[in-house]
Amino acid sequence: MIAKDLIDFGIPLLKSEDKVSKALDLMEEFECSRLPVVANGYYAGFVAEEMIRNHEAEEINDFRLLGKNGEIDQGSHYYDVIKCALEFDLPLISIKDHQGVYLGAVLTAAAFEMFATNSALRTPGGVIVLSLNYRDYSLSEISRIIENGDAKIINSQMSMDPNDNSKIWLTLKLNKEDISHLISILEFSGYQIERHFSTYLNNEDTQERYDSLMNFLKI
C-alpha cells in the first residue's frame, strides 16, 4: 500500500488566508484538534487548536505553522508515513502529488494501524526482540534456529538500536505463544535478547509489557 491510499478525505483543510473562527468551527464539527493548511495549493503546515484558541489573531496567516516537514510523495510506501511521523513527531502527514500539490492528509494513527495489521503483530504468537551487530545479521540463520525449535517467524522488522549505532534491533513475531524454549535456544546460540513479549508466560511484568505493546499498536 502506498501513501496516497491512506489519505483520509474526512480531514478538512484550511487555506492560509482563512479566519481563525473557521478553523475552530471545523475542529468542532469534525472533532479534531489539528488541521492541515494549504497556501496556493501547496502544503504549508498545520495548526493546532491550542495555538489558535483564545488568541487575538484573526487569520491563520498570523500564526507560525507546525509540521512543515511533514510531507511525502503520493507514491511513497506507507512505511515512509510512519518514518516521517516518528522523525518529526507529527500527528498527521501531508501527501503531495508529483508536482508538489497537496492531495490530502494521513493521520499517523492510521499508518500505525496499517503497519500493525499487515505485520501480523496482532495475530496470536510471541514477540522476541534481538540486539545484534549489523554485520552479524542473517535472517536465514536465525530462521533456521527458530525452526529447529519447532516454530516459525511470521513477521520480522529491523530498526537501529537506539543505544548503539553499530547495532540493530530485530523484532521477530512468531507463531507460538510459548516462546520460553526459543529464548533459551537463541541465547544458547549467542544472541542477545533485548525484550520479549508473550501472554503464555505466567509473569506479571511480561504480561504488562505485552499489553502495553498491544495497546500502543491499537493507537
Side-chain angles (χ1 to χ4, degrees), residues 109-193:
F112 274 107
E113 179 76 18
M114 181 61 63
F115 168 77
T117 301
N118 286 1
S119 62
L121 285 172
R122 289 184 178 176
T123 58
V127 176
I128 295 177
V129 182
L130 302 178
S131 176
L132 65 160
N133 293 319
Y134 183 76
R135 64 176 180 274
D136 297 330
Y137 168 66
S138 172
L139 186 58
S140 59
E141 174 64 18
I142 295 170
S143 296
R144 184 188 63 77
I145 294 171
I146 295 294
E147 289 174 5
N148 284 343
D150 195 28
K152 290 187 180 296
I153 298 173
I154 58 177
N155 185 265
S156 66
Q157 299 289 334
M158 185 172 63
S159 60
M160 296 302 299
D161 186 329
N163 303 313
D164 188 340
N165 291 332
S166 68
K167 292 186 175 182
I168 60 169
W169 278 4
L170 182 64
T171 302
L172 305 173
K173 179 61 186 280
L174 308 173
N175 67 337
K176 298 280 189 179
E177 288 284 3
D178 182 5
I179 59 174
S180 55
H181 67 296
L182 297 170
I183 292 172
S184 297
I185 291 172
L186 286 165
E187 288 180 331
F188 181 79
S189 299
Y191 288 97
Q192 178 183 336
I193 309 297

Side-chain angles (χ1 to χ4, degrees), residues 72-105:
I72 64 173
D73 187 80
Q74 62 177 342
S76 301
H77 194 277
Y78 75 86
Y79 279 8
D80 293 319
V81 177
I82 296 173
K83 179 182 177 182
C84 185
L86 291 174
E87 183 176 358
F88 299 108
D89 191 22
L90 299 175
L92 60 84
I93 300 297
S94 166
I95 308 302
K96 61 182 178 180
D97 68 13
H98 299 310
Q99 284 71 48
V101 177
Y102 176 85
L103 294 178

